[in-house]
Amino acid sequence: MNLDTNNMEAIVAMLMKELKKVENKEESCSCYEAKNGVFHSVDEAISAAKKAQATLFASRLELREKIVNSIRETLKDYTLELAELGVSETGMGRVADKKLKHEVTIAKTPGVEDLKAFAYSGDDGLTVMELSPYGVIGAITPSTNPSETIICNSIGMIAAGNSIVFAPHPGAKRTSIRTVELINEAIRKVGGPENLVVTIAEPSIENTNKMMENPNIKMLVATGGPGVVKSVMSSGKKAIGAGAGNPPVLVDETADIEKAAKDIIAGCSFDNNLPCIAEKEVVAVDSIADYLIFEMQKNGAYLLKDEALIEKLVGMVLTKGSPNRSYVGRDAKVILKDLGIQVGDEVKVIIAETTKDHPFAQKELLMPILPIVRVKNALEGIEVSKELEHGLRHTAMIHSKNIDILSKYAREMETTILVKNGPSYAGIGVGGEGHTTFTIAGPTGEGLTSARSFARNRRCVLVGALSIK
Ligand code: NAD
């Protein structure tokens, strides 16, 4: 075909028309996405979150308070829906426990009140230390507590004046997206900025890496296993890493054994052992070990004695030394059924006596299988507990009435959470004092994160005035 001027004009007009169509489609697409905080493009999500953060930071603190309250008010009507969705999508956990986890997250995650200013004053004037936002935070969330972590992070990070781009676990995509949508609804109700909390429609490791690399992300918060914690810590950005644990529970001869057994089974079976803080192995002083096992059986433990069956269970639940995901967070009853043992719903935990070197004691299984390791006395118990915690400095429990042992254990374990004479979940505010969080940062040292963990320390100095001392 010869291209004369008329032809050229017609082709250009056609191309312009097609281009306009694409632009319009993209515009309407991002308008729709903006309503729900769910984006197809990582970079678009981050740009929208950046804009939202600027609006939030320019607004009164009152707006942050309203948003946090609205998240609490709105989400409290969806605790059952999110719990059911989480269990059905991931195949892990227990609905009733997950519902409770949502309730405590909503009620006990601190808001704006967590940001306390600090002042120096004297002859040279007044200096105020303030907690200021980072900007846009990239938050990577796990499959084990998907919606709980998103709610908890959203409250704390918004209270500190940030916007958030969530990179959820692909296996908890629907639950995570639904949570982000509900949070957007809550923010909209009180006139907060659109896209303060955003996520990606197709979560993947690739998209998470893309998010981490974007220069507009000023802080990374990873809640998950060792891989992702290492990845954010080597990103060159300010990072909070909330990683894996392997919490031991030590029981000595001075403990209230009936209560210890009850607490251990309650903590270990909570959400089928998915919480990183849950009891993962028992270290029991020999003189009380038999009675402890007996009491545990009274509280829903199934004792596996046959060595061959224990070995078969190892083969089932571990693949090349890592937990087999098809058994992570599953009911004890289901695991036992696959082992050829039929039990009822009253069985919540499988227990077995093992050595300290057994993989059940060494590995973080995240399922209701609890090994019991005998030691001759509490001092040996402290050493064994330290060994099994692998220096992760995450969580440990102890049941004892000996003040010296309680103190020594607490000092030597060096864990972020240490629960004395209670179930593990008391350490995150369920039946124990203190706030709730689902991002427990051992490796980077923030501990049980809250709004102040997501804020920068800034110093504002007024020279030579305003001190009235
Ligand atoms: P996971 O490590 O498989 O995934 C966590 C998140 O990291 C997901 O969003 C995943 O997509 C992402 N991810 C994983 N590897 C990555 C990589 N190399 N690069 C980029 N992103 C990556 O963990 P999970 O199975 O979802 O959760 C269970 C683990 O998380 C357990 O080890 C548990 O102890 C830990 N955890 C810790 C805390 C805490 O507060 N310390 C809380 C919950 C879970």
Side-chain angles (χ1 to χ4, degrees):
M1 179 174 82
N2 284 334
L3 279 181
D4 61 20
T5 317
N6 281 347
N7 269 341
M8 289 276 280
E9 275 172 4
I11 290 167
V12 169
M14 198 179 75
L15 282 174
M16 291 300 288
K17 211 169 145 191
E18 288 303 311
L19 200 64
K20 198 80 200 154
K21 269 192 209 161
V22 172
E23 271 172 9
N24 285 342
K25 199 172 159 211
E26 276 180 1
E27 256 168 39
S28 67
C29 181
S30 69
C31 280
Y32 165 73
E33 286 167 346
K35 266 187 195 154
N36 297 294
V38 183
F39 286 76
H40 288 284
S41 145
V42 175
D43 292 339
E44 261 184 39
I46 296 171
S47 313
K50 189 178 177 197
K51 213 167 130 204
Q53 196 273 331
T55 308
L56 184 72
F57 193 38
S59 307
R60 289 166 61 82
L61 287 176
E62 198 185 345
L63 179 63
R64 296 190 207 172
E65 270 163 10
K66 278 189 186 163
I67 293 172
V68 167
N69 288 339
S70 183
I71 293 175
R72 296 193 208 278
E73 278 304 305
T74 307
L75 271 287
K76 81 177 168 26
D77 294 334
Y78 292 91
T79 55
L80 182 61
E81 182 194 312
L82 291 174
E84 285 176 343
L85 187 57
V87 171
S88 71
E89 183 182 20
T90 64
M92 305 190 288
R94 288 172 168 261
V95 171
D97 296 341
K98 273 208 192 294
K99 185 173 185 300
L100 177 61
K101 281 161 79 182
H102 284 84
E103 286 163 2
V104 291
T105 305
I106 289 165
K108 296 186 82 174
T109 301
V112 180
E113 73 286 356
D114 197 47
L115 306 170
K116 301 244 184 332
F118 173 78
Y120 301 92
S121 73
D123 293 338
D124 288 334
L126 177 71
T127 291
V128 183
M129 300 297 299
E130 285 274 46
L131 290 169
S132 210
Y134 273 89
V136 188
I137 299 181
I140 304 159
T141 52
S143 57
T144 46
N145 320 307
S147 35
E148 300 90 315
T149 310
I150 290 179
I151 298 168
C152 174
N153 282 181
S154 294
I155 292 176
M157 291 172 186
I158 293 173
N162 306 285
S163 61
I164 312 113
V165 179
F166 279 107
H169 193 290
K173 173 176 124 176
R174 281 188 292 124
T175 313
S176 305
I177 286 179
R178 176 72 177 138
T179 313
V180 167
E181 286 173 346
L182 288 169
I183 289 173
N184 273 270
E185 199 181 303
I187 296 171
R188 203 169 312 121
K189 270 188 203 164
V190 289
E194 289 285 324
N195 301 318
L196 199 53
V197 174
V198 299
T199 191
I200 323 291
E202 283 307 326
S204 63
I205 301 269
E206 193 194 351
N207 276 337
T208 302
N209 287 332
K210 212 166 164 191
M211 181 273 281
M212 290 201 276
E213 284 159 16
N214 188 300
N216 287 319
I217 296 286
K218 299 298 179 197
M219 176 190 232
L220 288 166
V221 178
T223 308
V228 71
V229 168
K230 189 170 172 213
S231 174
V232 297
M233 285 175 76
S234 43
S235 65
K237 296 189 180 187
K238 167 68 188 176
I240 292 183
N246 194 36
V249 48
L250 173 60
V251 187
D252 80 5
E253 70 285 3
T254 67
D256 176 341
I257 303 298
E258 290 89 348
K259 182 176 183 304
K262 199 167 169 225
D263 287 350
I264 292 169
I265 296 301
C268 173
S269 64
F270 188 59
D271 207 17
N272 278 343
N273 203 251
L274 288 180
C276 50
I277 56 156
E279 289 82 351
K280 300 279 187 285
E281 60 276 338
V282 177
V283 178
V285 168
D286 187 39
S287 59
I288 51 87
D290 289 333
Y291 186 43
L292 181 69
I293 291 169
F294 171 74
E295 283 297 316
M296 285 166 97
Q297 287 173 283
K298 275 182 23 190
N299 284 282
Y302 183 91
L303 177 64
L304 209 56
K305 282 193 197 158
D306 186 327
E307 281 303 323
L309 276 179
I310 295 174
E311 274 320 293
K312 187 176 169 195
L313 186 59
V314 172
M316 260 171 58
V317 301
L318 285 160
T319 314
K320 291 186 190 148
S322 295
N324 176 347
R325 278 199 93 92
S326 41
Y327 290 107
V328 169
R330 301 299 297 272
D331 291 351
K333 187 175 94 169
V334 172
I335 303 173
L336 282 170
K337 187 168 172 247
D338 286 0
L339 198 61
I341 298 168
Q342 303 285 344
V343 294
D345 287 329
E346 70 288 354
V347 170
K348 294 187 213 133
V349 173
I350 303 164
I351 56 172
E353 276 204 58
T354 70
T355 63
K356 69 181 169 66
D357 303 316
H358 192 275
F360 286 170
Q362 292 283 335
K363 302 274 176 190
E364 185 201 36
L365 293 179
L366 298 164
M367 51 188 90
I369 296 177
L370 190 64
I372 298 155
V373 179
R374 274 181 204 252
V375 285
K376 59 178 185 300
N377 56 38
L379 289 179
E380 190 195 347
I382 294 173
E383 288 311 309
V384 170
S385 300
K386 261 162 63 178
E387 199 181 319
L388 294 176
E389 213 273 326
H390 305 305
L392 294 165
R393 305 211 265 185
H394 197 298
T395 299
M397 275 60 65
I398 179 167
H399 292 267
S400 170
K401 289 191 179 155
N402 180 331
I403 291 176
D404 293 339
I405 291 297
L406 288 170
S407 306
K408 191 173 168 59
Y409 188 71
R411 287 187 72 83
E412 298 216 0
M413 291 307 292
E414 291 193 90
T415 47
T416 305
I417 297 179
L418 197 127
V419 180
K420 296 165 181 158
N421 298 328
S424 51
Y425 47 67
I428 52 164
V430 183
E433 289 300 325
H435 73 270
T436 293
T437 182
F438 279 92
T439 298
I440 300 149
T444 47
E446 290 77 8
L448 287 98
T449 58
S450 60
R452 75 180 82 162
S453 321
F454 310 120
R456 298 164 59 212
N457 255 298
R458 296 175 65 192
R459 177 185 273 204
C460 255
V461 184
L462 179 82
V463 180
L466 285 187
S467 168
I468 52 166
K469 263 186 189 153

